[in-house]
Structures are given as structure tokens and as C-alpha cells.
Amino acid sequence: EWAELLSPNVPVSIFRLSGIYGPGRSALDTVRKGWRPEGVGAARPEGSGTDGQGAKGAEEIEAETTKFISRVHVDDIAQTVLASMQGDQGTRQRLSRSDPLNLYSTGPSSPSFNIYNVADDLPSPRDPVLRFAFELLKIQAPEQLKEQPLEPPRPTSSRRSRKDSKRVANQKIKQELGVVLKYPTFKEGLPAVLRSELRS
């Protein structure tokens, strides 16, 4: 819809962002706020609301702990947008040289219109991310946190868990924009967040 409202010769890029994290907004903050597993004190999964109200059934709890979610560090979002802008500038220059009189319009089907998924390389359930945050902060992790393998859900996972999983492909930003992720997984991203917070 936005593409239809703009001038046909204005390059348009839409960015679909995964779960955003960075300084002041990460699993580290969740741990610092006293996160506890469901049924043990405050029960707030990573990225959830702050009220913590409402009892949850076993299937809902399983879905929260086993669903795979893609994440992305704010620095990688920034570099992806910049790479797109640089690419758009090149597109405008090529159009200007090939069509100086603006005789040929471009639209959503042209190379000047793109939709990009912005995500890191490792979708993961909540528990391994939180456990890693506990380790970085040198705080004993609750025993209830599962040490799940970082691999796609097994067929035996609940239907809700499979439905709620959000594993996002990011090949396009690499292939078309030449993006090399600074933080390809939370294993690199969370330590960088902690270092940044310690410096500030």
C-alpha cells in the first residue's frame, strides 16, 4: 500500500523486524528484574508484558518455553537499513543514466521495491536465551529453565508451540544487500549488550 502512494521512481523498502534486543532491552534486563519460571514468584517470560497476571495452562506454558523465535540486535537492524539506502542510491543513479527523461516508470514489481526480513541466524526458544543471560550475569539460573537443543521443534511438540514459533529466513539481506551480521546469534549479541552497558 505504501508503494502505491509513493512516486513510482522512489525506491521503497519494507523491513520486517524479528524480536529486537539491545542495550536496555534484552534477556539481561529480564533476569535483572527478577524473572522466575511459571509458578515460582514473578512469572514473566522474555519479552512478555509486565503485569504477570492470569493463570496459564500446561499447554500454554509449554508453548512459551518451546516455541522458536527469531531475534535481531539493534546494530544489525541499523546496518541493514543503511545497506538498503546505499543500494537504493545506486538504483536511482542507474535509473537516471538509463532513463534520463523518466520515460519508464517503476513499480512494486521492479528492483526498487523490496521486502526484507531482518533476523539473526539462530532462532531459539526462550529458555536457552534466558539461561545464557543468567550465566553472563553470574546469577544462578532456576532449575526449571530447560537446556533445550538449539534445533527446530520435534514433531511431538504441541500444536500451539509449532503454530506460535516464528523462525525467520534472513538470506535476502545477505544476498541482495551484502549484510554480514555483527551478531549472528544471541551468543554473540548478549555479551556485546553487556559490554556496552558496562561501558555506559
Side-chain angles (χ1 to χ4, degrees):
E1 294 179 357
W2 282 107
E4 295 174 356
L5 295 174
L6 296 173
S7 168
N9 283 331
V10 175
V12 175
S13 293
I14 296 174
F15 301 93
R16 293 174 173 168
L17 306 180
S18 300
I20 304 169
Y21 73 96
R25 176 180 174 153
S26 73
L28 298 170
D29 299 279
T30 303
V31 171
R32 291 188 185 109
K33 292 175 182 177
W35 183 90
R36 292 292 182 274
E38 187 73 26
V40 183
R44 289 203 308 271
E46 177 201 10
S48 72
T50 58
D51 56 13
Q53 296 178 356
K56 298 176 181 178
E59 184 176 349
E60 185 174 359
I61 294 173
E62 180 191 359
E64 287 184 350
T65 58
T66 61
K67 67 181 178 182
F68 278 59
I69 297 174
S70 291
R71 299 167 177 81
V72 63
H73 192 287
V74 290
D75 287 356
D76 284 321
I77 296 173
Q79 72 152 327
T80 300
V81 173
L82 287 174
S84 174
M85 292 171 64
Q86 293 168 352
D88 289 343
Q89 184 177 13
T91 298
R92 286 193 293 271
Q93 292 173 347
R94 288 193 299 273
L95 286 172
S96 178
R97 289 195 297 267
S98 63
D99 185 19
L101 300 179
N102 193 28
L103 298 177
Y104 302 99
S105 63
T106 60
S109 61
S110 76
S112 61
F113 178 85
N114 282 291
I115 298 176
Y116 296 106
N117 293 330
V118 187
D120 69 13
D121 294 337
L122 186 64
S124 171
R126 176 201 69 186
D127 282 13
V129 179
L130 283 173
R131 180 174 285 276
F132 186 54
F134 273 100
E135 293 174 2
L136 289 174
L137 294 172
K138 299 184 179 354
I139 300 174
Q140 181 65 40
E143 295 180 358
Q144 293 88 340
L145 276 179
K146 300 177 181 178
E147 296 188 53
Q148 295 166 308
L150 301 182
E151 59 186 24
R154 299 186 300 273
T156 53
S157 297
S158 71
R159 181 173 60 183
R160 174 164 183 167
S161 175
R162 294 195 302 270
K163 178 181 177 182
D164 291 347
S165 290
K166 298 176 182 178
R167 295 184 290 139
V168 178
N170 64 3
Q171 292 92 337
K172 189 172 181 179
I173 62 173
K174 298 177 180 179
Q175 296 171 357
E176 295 190 7
L177 301 179
V179 170
V180 177
L181 295 172
K182 292 182 179 179
Y183 310 110
T185 78
F186 67 87
K187 292 282 189 178
E188 296 82 24
L190 285 181
V193 169
L194 183 58
R195 289 193 298 269
S196 175
E197 293 174 343
L198 292 175
R199 287 195 301 268
S200 61

